[in-house]
Amino acid sequence: MSFLTGSWRPRPRVAVIGVPFVWLSIFFLLPFLLVFRISLAQMDGALVSPLLTLSDGVLTLQLHLASFIQLITDDLYIATYFVSVKYALVTASFCLLFGYPFAYFMARSERRWQPALLMGVMLPFWTSFLIRVYAWKSLLEPNGWVGAPIHALGIDEVLAFLGMIPSPDQLMYSPFSLVLGMVYTYLPFMVLPLYATLSRMDLRLIEAAQDLGATPWQAFWRITVPLSRSGIVAGFMLVFIPCVGEYVIPELLGGPETLMIGRVLWDEFFSNNDWPMASTVAVVMILVIIVPLAIFGRNQVQAQEG
Amino acid sequence: MSTSFPIPDDPGFLQIKEVVKDFGPVRAVDSVSLDIARGEIFALLGSSGCGKTTLLRMLAGFETPTSGQIILNGHDLSGLEPYRRPINMMFQSYALFPHLSVWDNIAFGLRRDGLPKDEIAARVESMLRLVKLEKFGKRKPHQLSGGQQQRVALARSLVKRPQLLLLDEPLGALDKKLREETQIELVNIIKDVGVTCVMVTHDQEEAMTMADRIGVMDEGVLLQVDVPNELYETPNSRFVADFIGNVNLMEGVVVDDQPSSVTIECADCVHYVGHGITGHVGLPVTVALRPEKIYLSREEPEGEHNRVQGVVEEMSYFGSYSVYFLRLPSGAKLKVSEENDLRLRESKPTWDDTVWASWPPSAQVVLTH
Ligand SMILES: Nc1ncnc2c1ncn2[C@@H]1O[C@H](COP(=O)(O)OP(=O)(O)OP(=O)(O)O)[C@@H](O)[C@H]1O
Ligand SMILES: [Mg+2]
């Protein structure tokens, strides 16, 4: 009863673990359980059937697994998961490819320029996401600011050859425009964690490597890259995870062959009005793709900092 | 005047010639010239911010001299990148690679040279034996104590058999006791390997214990280079006298100048110094007198020179010796340290005693600047 006398205070350890725990419970676990509950139900007209019913003194628990069975047996869903994972992987890889050099030079530039550069990375967030994504439509027109140079340099021929666009004169509604839009949107989420780890790095380690005979290039690959692993993993997760479930960008910039899981989810909800199926799609995505990935990422980061 | 440092066979192994380094308006290193012999351990000693690290970093190639030349074993190093120099450095905070094991840290430099695997293994193992860390090869740096990390850093900088080894405050991160133990160990390892070594420290005892010769720096200028005992016995400036060990400094004027002696009048006493100086009557000078060269007695000493009467104002006991502070007639303080000899304990001076301090004519050093 010591808290009544005023001497009770939460131990620091309890607070350190407790706050994120409560946060996760309220904003992740609880909504997840709600969605999970819907996935085990059945549509009762416009309503979702209850799982527990009490009639004539009998309490019945009804778990409808129809959606789960359909998800496994119907090729559409599995195939769409693969497409989503593929585009999320490609997007995260490109973000890493462009984001790493950017974060590197930002972290190594003069201290007084760094806040301005950081602002620059975040500046796009000041305009509406929809407008920015929509703007790509006109930029990618054959005579648009991006479309014209791509055509002039003959890059569109290459893209068409690689199957990234349906034909050289059509950049929009293709895997190319989809990946472009997603990389553009998610690049800051890659740059920021990379910048955070790179700017914290002890530069004397690079000097030590060079002192021991490593060229600047070798020092980069052997010291800088391994030591920024936690930033790479964090950035990759931050891009990959939302990309898997991305709906708006594929909708605006994607083409017929870029059907992603977000679109399927939307259709189940709003076209088919099949809430349990939509919830099942979401639950499986979280359990099969995102949770294992998040655990993997956490272990990677811990392994480095351990 | 004796020199404990043997005449080296290659005195100009490392030549630093009028090296200057400016950081904008700050002159960190001011026209330093210095020759270091093959196999020598040389210590750069100076207070914080005097340019020691900057000089070391120019040797390693991390800073480019504003002007001047550095020549190692007959080769001019200017324009040579750090990774091409036959020089290895042990960093102030060790800079061990946190993601690599002890073994891989030590092997890092050998791998960059593309040595065959079995030779790398053999050399790393022998280094681990040398620094007594055979059992720790698989550990990561953060799983080691400070002293163990220091030895890994040393092994890493020695394994490539550099022509020149640079140590920046090699023991700075260790506590006092471990430091003293490690100093000797470190010298033994360096001498075993036979590498020429330039070390930086601001701890004069460490420099005295470890180095063959010491260079004292102040504000980017190299004031004096000498073997430790010469530096202590015959400092050439107020700064060096004050920096190396304890000293009483007295301002005075030359009143008699003979070829083999000089008499200097100070506020509280008249110094008779048993060697000539380059000066003249009327020249203002500073007389430096080490506390341990002064004797205390209750009876008045003979003669009129090299003595002063004072009151014991403070005394501290340090086991084998005691330190007294005498208040002199002019108000100045004189620091005296006396060995604690059991037989004399009865007559030891104590607080508020009036005593005589005296010293032989060979005790003082006359500083003309
Ligand atoms: N990169 C730099 N840019 C500007 N000034 C510098 C730079 N490095 C050193 N200085 C200045 O040069 C002077 C000498 O610095 P240095 O690091 O060589 O001192 P130090 O003798 O090693 O001191 P400490 O014992 O504190 O390590 C200092 O005044 C310092 O502020
Ligand atoms: Mg320093």
Side-chain angles (χ1 to χ4, degrees):
Chain A
M1 282 291 126
S2 57
F3 70 89
L4 288 182
T5 58
S7 70
W8 188 87
R9 255 187 257 128
R11 277 170 296 160
R13 210 176 153 69
V14 174
V16 164
I17 299 173
V19 170
F21 183 77
V22 170
W23 179 273
L24 268 178
S25 303
I26 295 178
F27 294 104
F28 177 74
L29 200 60
L30 209 63
F32 175 76
L33 288 177
L34 285 175
V35 174
F36 191 40
R37 178 227 173 281
I38 297 174
S39 73
L40 292 169
Q42 194 179 33
M43 286 312 279
D44 245 352
L47 294 174
V48 179
S49 72
L51 294 189
L52 280 177
T53 43
L54 182 64
S55 64
D56 302 330
V58 182
L59 182 67
T60 33
L61 171 68
Q62 279 188 303
L63 299 179
H64 298 268
L65 298 176
S67 314
F68 285 90
I69 292 165
Q70 194 189 348
L71 186 122
I72 293 166
T73 48
D74 190 337
D75 286 347
L76 167 86
Y77 298 101
I78 309 278
T80 320
Y81 279 126
F82 273 108
V83 171
S84 301
V85 169
K86 183 180 83 179
Y87 281 111
L89 268 180
V90 170
T91 303
S93 305
F94 274 110
C95 281
L96 184 62
L97 191 69
F98 299 127
Y100 201 98
F102 192 91
Y104 183 85
F105 288 111
M106 202 160 84
R108 296 288 174 272
S109 64
E110 266 190 64
R111 281 270 161 219
R112 59 196 164 111
W113 293 115
Q114 291 190 13
L117 288 169
L118 213 52
M119 270 319 282
V121 173
M122 300 203 268
L123 206 59
F125 291 123
W126 288 13
T127 35
S128 153
F129 159 72
L130 271 179
I131 292 176
R132 280 183 290 130
V133 173
Y134 217 77
W136 278 105
K137 279 194 181 204
S138 66
L139 287 174
L140 287 175
E141 304 256 292
N143 53 2
W145 285 10
V146 175
I150 283 181
H151 184 69
L153 294 171
I155 297 171
D156 52 352
E157 305 282 351
V158 180
L159 289 172
F161 177 76
L162 293 174
M164 298 284 289
I165 49 177
S167 66
D169 55 350
Q170 199 209 327
L171 295 173
M172 273 305 295
Y173 310 116
S174 65
F176 167 72
S177 57
L178 170 65
V179 172
L180 183 74
M182 294 216 290
V183 170
Y184 163 77
T185 307
Y186 285 102
L187 194 57
F189 294 96
M190 180 63 85
V191 170
L192 293 179
L194 280 176
Y195 168 76
T197 37
L198 286 170
S199 64
R200 268 199 319 230
M201 218 174 93
D202 183 358
L203 294 184
R204 268 168 314 186
L205 295 177
I206 308 297
E207 287 188 344
Q210 293 201 20
D211 186 67
L212 292 165
T215 61
W217 188 242
Q218 287 173 330
F220 174 76
W221 283 107
R222 306 244 164 219
I223 307 298
T224 309
V225 170
L227 285 180
S228 53
R229 191 172 72 177
S230 63
I232 295 175
V233 171
F236 211 88
M237 300 284 146
L238 281 178
V239 175
F240 181 85
I241 290 173
C243 274
V244 172
E246 181 60 49
Y247 168 72
V248 177
I249 303 175
E251 205 48 27
L252 291 177
L253 299 178
E257 69 272 60
T258 63
L259 180 65
M260 286 173 62
I261 206 69
R263 173 67 201 234
V264 172
L265 223 151
W266 174 278
D267 285 346
E268 296 296 350
F269 259 118
F270 298 101
S271 310
N272 303 349
N273 202 26
D274 187 350
W275 287 33
M277 190 65 224
S279 301
T280 305
V281 168
V283 165
V284 169
M285 180 171 84
I286 288 170
L287 288 185
V288 176
I289 301 172
I290 293 176
V291 170
L293 212 67
I295 293 172
F296 164 79
R298 218 182 65 126
N299 289 344
Q300 287 290 304
V301 172
Q302 273 180 350
Q304 177 171 23
E305 286 168 2
Chain B
M1 307 252 161
S2 71
T3 316
S4 68
F5 183 57
I7 304 301
D9 55 359
D10 186 1
F13 181 66
L14 172 67
Q15 300 177 330
I16 299 169
K17 293 182 170 173
E18 288 174 18
V19 164
V20 174
K21 178 68 189 180
D22 290 333
F23 290 111
V26 180
R27 178 151 292 193
V29 172
D30 193 354
S31 193
V32 167
S33 294
L34 179 65
D35 281 7
I36 291 171
R38 189 192 291 271
E40 186 178 1
I41 299 182
F42 189 92
L44 281 169
L45 182 60
S47 44
S48 185
C50 71
K52 308 178 297 281
T53 298
T54 307
L55 187 56
L56 212 63
R57 287 173 58 82
M58 286 193 282
L59 295 177
F62 297 126
E63 306 283 0
T64 319
T66 308
S67 66
Q69 233 186 347
I70 298 168
I71 294 167
L72 179 69
N73 203 9
H75 300 287
D76 189 343
L77 292 183
S78 52
L80 204 61
E81 295 91 341
Y83 53 90
R84 290 184 207 275
R85 297 188 179 203
I87 297 175
N88 285 138
M89 176 154 167
M90 191 178 129
F91 288 72
Q92 192 158 359
S93 49
Y94 311 144
L96 296 176
F97 305 128
H99 60 300
L100 298 181
S101 67
V102 167
W103 210 96
D104 290 329
N105 261 282
I106 299 175
F108 187 89
L110 298 174
R111 291 196 170 125
R112 302 289 81 71
D113 288 352
L115 291 183
K117 267 209 168 75
D118 42 344
E119 189 182 343
I120 293 179
R123 279 169 72 168
V124 172
E125 296 295 341
S126 84
M127 266 302 148
L128 283 171
R129 265 196 304 283
L130 185 68
V131 298
K132 303 195 194 83
L133 287 174
E134 294 101 319
K135 293 198 199 77
F136 296 86
K138 288 207 181 69
R139 296 234 191 141
K140 291 282 179 68
H142 72 262
Q143 296 166 320
L144 300 178
S145 73
Q148 290 165 340
Q149 289 182 14
Q150 183 263 342
R151 283 182 278 157
V152 176
L154 180 68
R156 192 178 70 173
S157 54
L158 280 176
V159 74
K160 291 190 76 178
R161 298 175 191 155
Q163 295 186 18
L164 181 63
L165 174 68
L166 306 175
L167 308 175
D168 192 354
E169 307 256 354
L171 309 174
L174 307 183
D175 60 52
K176 193 164 163 30
K177 189 161 181 301
L178 191 57
R179 247 177 122 115
E180 282 164 5
E181 290 167 13
T182 314
Q183 283 166 2
I184 311 285
E185 197 182 2
L186 192 57
V187 171
N188 288 341
I189 292 176
I190 294 169
K191 289 288 179 187
D192 265 5
V193 178
V195 65
T196 310
C197 172
V198 177
M199 59 176 280
V200 154
T201 178
H202 60 249
D203 178 344
Q204 48 123 345
E205 275 177 35
E206 186 172 298
M208 296 268 211
T209 318
M210 294 181 64
D212 296 315
R213 284 194 305 156
I214 298 173
V216 181
M217 281 183 82
D218 182 37
E219 296 189 347
V221 181
L222 195 57
L223 293 176
Q224 187 173 3
V225 176
D226 225 322
V227 295
N229 65 319
E230 285 298 315
L231 211 55
Y232 188 81
E233 298 293 341
T234 55
N236 68 2
S237 60
R238 257 191 101 111
F239 182 86
V240 176
D242 206 15
F243 197 78
I244 308 280
N246 280 309
V247 74
N248 295 294
L249 294 171
M250 303 180 203
E251 310 290 339
V253 176
V254 178
V255 290
D256 184 27
D257 184 23
Q258 302 293 329
S260 65
S261 73
V262 60
T263 309
I264 296 157
E265 206 170 281
C266 296
D268 296 298
C269 60
V270 177
H271 283 281
Y272 176 80
V273 183
H275 59 82
I277 61 162
T278 48
H280 51 83
V281 171
L283 181 74
V285 294
T286 304
V287 177
L289 185 58
R290 299 282 180 196
E292 73 276 11
K293 300 200 170 172
I294 305 174
Y295 305 105
L296 293 184
S297 60
R298 293 184 192 279
E299 294 86 45
E300 183 173 354
E302 287 173 20
E304 287 151 40
H305 306 311
N306 294 355
R307 57 176 219 176
V308 65
Q309 206 170 18
V311 179
V312 177
E313 205 173 66
E314 277 175 55
M315 55 182 284
S316 333
Y317 177 74
F318 287 100
S320 62
Y321 67 101
S322 293
V323 172
Y324 301 86
F325 285 94
L326 303 191
R327 177 69 66 190
L328 303 187
S330 72
K333 272 188 182 179
L334 186 72
K335 187 175 183 183
V336 180
S337 77
E338 293 267 280
E339 301 241 339
N340 284 333
D341 195 329
L342 226 66
R343 288 165 299 161
L344 298 176
R345 194 158 53 184
E346 302 326 321
S347 63
K348 280 263 151 189
T350 180
W351 279 275
D352 295 331
D353 282 0
T354 301
V355 292
W356 283 96
S358 62
W359 51 93
S362 59
Q364 311 98 321
V365 176
V366 182
L367 305 168
T368 48
H369 50 272

